[in-house]
Amino acid sequence: MEQEWRTLAVVEGRPLRGGTGLIRERARAEHGLAYEIRYPAGVASAEHSHDHDSIVHVLEGRLRGTVDGVWCELGPGDVVVHPRGVRHHVEALADSRWIEFKAPLPGRPPVG
């Protein structure tokens, strides 16, 4: 059964800037999970780090962000890794949708 979309206003305890996004869980395994996330243009996460690795695979739109202070820009088909403990952030330059894989399972819910 497909999960319902929920409003996404907080990532790793920090409020999103520029509005809210949408999130739904797509799959869960013993040691990881996958979310589908949507940000409208202009929405951004604050810089943060977490207790798991995240792999972001962009499906639609355009994202810009940093990983350990290095800037990157992503479009459909692009992938970036946010390693455990490394500071990063993401901003939607256009209405965007991506799949985010997290492993191991986060110690606490990373989004809200």
Side-chain angles (χ1 to χ4, degrees), residues 32-91:
L33 60 84
Y35 288 122
E36 184 176 359
I37 301 172
R38 292 178 182 263
Y39 280 10
V43 170
S45 66
E47 189 176 58
H48 64 279
S49 63
H50 36 67
D51 65 352
H52 54 272
D53 295 321
S54 289
I55 300 170
V56 173
H57 179 245
V58 179
L59 302 173
E60 299 173 352
R62 196 109 197 117
L63 299 174
R64 171 177 59 196
T66 58
V67 178
D68 202 18
V70 177
W71 284 94
C72 63
E73 195 167 310
L74 306 166
D78 291 335
V79 176
V80 68
V81 175
H82 298 151
R84 179 184 339 201
V86 174
R87 298 191 65 73
H88 60 277
H89 90 281
V90 64
E91 174 187 358

